[in-house]
């Protein structure tokens, strides 16, 4: 019975990881097939419409002033621009925002400070309140860690001359990409998603999602889709799918970049990834049955399924970590080395798709892309190390375990020498680093056994797992104590 359970589990895990690997290749195919398609407005507004800029903030004392100033520099007529600071803050951030708002008002801007006494609905609740009061026909949304460029509205607003367009998404840039190894890895993760996947989905006519910030919505599109809802942790993904299921069209502009600050702390990164992973599975449970019942082409339904279930790959990866233990397998006739070798092709197939996917993202975005190749093994290892954190998020969503909206701490960090360790908002710590250390030791003994049995080809795979789990665990535990050897923050950029 145990052997049968292992075999069924093993088949599910390997087939699942293979499907997600194939999906990455398919995304690359769609990207290269469609990347040169031109996207231009149907026409231009003779009279520019009113735009409401929404800035949802919660305890953002280090970045809220920077964002308000950036919004005030938007190249758009003042009489056509409304700014809403949707402030749920409970600390001095509220006073900082209020002082900056007074200065902007003195310059003739229509800027409002909308304060809530509770965080009901979290970000979705704040945006819903702002929507009710907005006088603009279109709403541009920027999270506190973003800095919109002055030309953003002028380069996007005219796409709305097409009455079927409901949302326009710009591509995220990275203000502090070269701050540390961790920020380099995050930047590469996001570049793959924001350039390859978003372009592939949008240009091929499939559903894609608003990324929660750095985008502009048509107000009537939000209302027609049912408005902002807070029954998932990814209100942006949820609304995006509901709007497109109603027939609205979205546009992604990969050439238009909105810079943002990446989390510099591992616990903050894990909190962000946990929220995204859990929210995507919640959205999957909420909307996928409706998608399959809807009158959509099969290719749309299939891509939506792979998109909304993509974070299950972390759960499968963690399960694979446990299943590759030779003592649990029914293949008793195989010795330890043979058992390890059996898993190398499976891991290689899955990891090769990751390598090719992110190499393509590097090549598309960096002129001297080969100078960034050293980041790719660290990206794979960190993705493995994050599997405990994200698998936990997936399981919480599956079993309807409710948690609040955990904000990602921002410190206004842009330059490599800037410090954050003594600032407020250090991310919450939990027990997961202990599990990650256990997993590192677990794979450490794989390395020892491989060397002892002279199975040298079997050293590379467990080494990635060992480093990934150890790196994520040690940064989670000790990063705030200036463990610079873990951050690699002094390596200079060459691109």
């Amino acid at each position: 019975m145990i052997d049968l359970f292992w075999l069924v589990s093993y088949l599910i895990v390997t087939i699942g990881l293979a499907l997600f690997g194939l999906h990455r290749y398919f995304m690359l195919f769609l990207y290269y097939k469609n990347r040169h398609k031109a996207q231009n407005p149907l026409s231009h507004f003779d009279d520019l419409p009113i735009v409401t800029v929404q800035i949802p903030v919660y305890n953002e004392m280090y970045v809220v002033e920077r964002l308000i100033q950036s919004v005030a520099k938007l190249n758009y007529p003042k009489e056509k621009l409304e700014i809403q600071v949707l402030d749920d803050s409970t600390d001095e951030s509220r006073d900082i925002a209020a002082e900056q708002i007074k200065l902007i008002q003195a310059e003739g801007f229509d800027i409002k400070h909308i304060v809530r006494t509770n965080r009901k609905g979290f970000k979705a609740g704040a945006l819903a309140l702002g929507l009710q009061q907005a006088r603009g026909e279109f709403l541009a949304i920027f999270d506190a860690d973003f800095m919109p460029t002055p030309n953003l509205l002028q380069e996007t607003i005219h796409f709305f001359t097409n009455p079927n367009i409901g949302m326009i998404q710009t591509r995220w840039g990275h203000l502090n990409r070269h701050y540390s190894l961790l920020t380099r890895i995050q930047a590469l993760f996001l570049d793959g998603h924001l350039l390859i996947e978003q372009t592939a989905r949008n240009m091929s006519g499939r559903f894609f999602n608003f990324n929660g910030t750095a985008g502009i919505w048509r107000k009537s599109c939000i209302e027609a889709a049912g408005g902002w809802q807070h029954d998932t942790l990814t209100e942006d993904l949820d609304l995006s799918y509901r709007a497109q299921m109603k027939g609205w069209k979205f546009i992604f502009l990969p050439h238009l970049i909105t810079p943002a600050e990446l989390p510099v702390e591992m616990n903050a990164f894990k909190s962000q990834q946990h929220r995204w992973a859990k929210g995507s599975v919640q959205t999957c449970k909420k909307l996928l049955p409706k998608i399959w019942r809807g009158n959509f082409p099969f290719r749309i339904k299939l891509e939506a399924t792979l998109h909304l279930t993509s974070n299950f790959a972390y759960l499968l990866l963690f399960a694979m970590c446990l299943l590759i233990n030779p003592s649990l397998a029914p293949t008793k006739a195989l010795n330890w080395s043979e058992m390890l070798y059996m898993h190398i092709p499976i891991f290689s197939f899955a990891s090769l798709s990751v390598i090719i996917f992110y190499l393509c993202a590097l090549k598309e975005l960096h002129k001297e892309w080969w100078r960034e190749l050293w980041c790719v093994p660290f990206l794979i290892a960190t993705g493995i190390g994050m599997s405990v954190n994200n698998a936990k998020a997936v399981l919480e969503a599956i079993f309807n375990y409710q948690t609040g909206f955990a904000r990602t701490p921002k410190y206004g960090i842009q330059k490599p020498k800037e410090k954050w360790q003594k600032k407020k908002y250090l991310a919450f710590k939990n027990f997961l680093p202990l599990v990650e250390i256990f997993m590192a030791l677990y794979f450490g003994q794989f390395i020892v056994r491989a060397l002892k049995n002279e199975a040298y080809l079997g050293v590379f795979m467990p080494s990635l797992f060992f480093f990934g789990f150890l790196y994520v665990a040690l940064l989670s535990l000790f990063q705030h104590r200036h463990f610079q050897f873990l951050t690699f923050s002094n390596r200079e950029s060459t691109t």
Side-chain angles (χ1 to χ4, degrees), residues 23-38:
H23 183 239
R24 290 191 194 92
Y25 289 123
F26 186 62
M27 285 289 101
L28 287 172
F29 168 75
L30 289 179
Y31 172 77
Y32 283 109
K33 180 182 178 182
N34 298 286
R35 61 176 171 161
H36 294 305
K37 285 184 178 179

Side-chain angles (χ1 to χ4, degrees), residues 245 287-298 300-301:
M245 289 165 67
L287 297 181
L288 198 55
K290 297 178 182 178
I291 292 171
W292 279 98
R293 290 195 299 266
N295 187 26
F296 306 110
F298 177 76
I300 300 293
K301 295 178 178 180

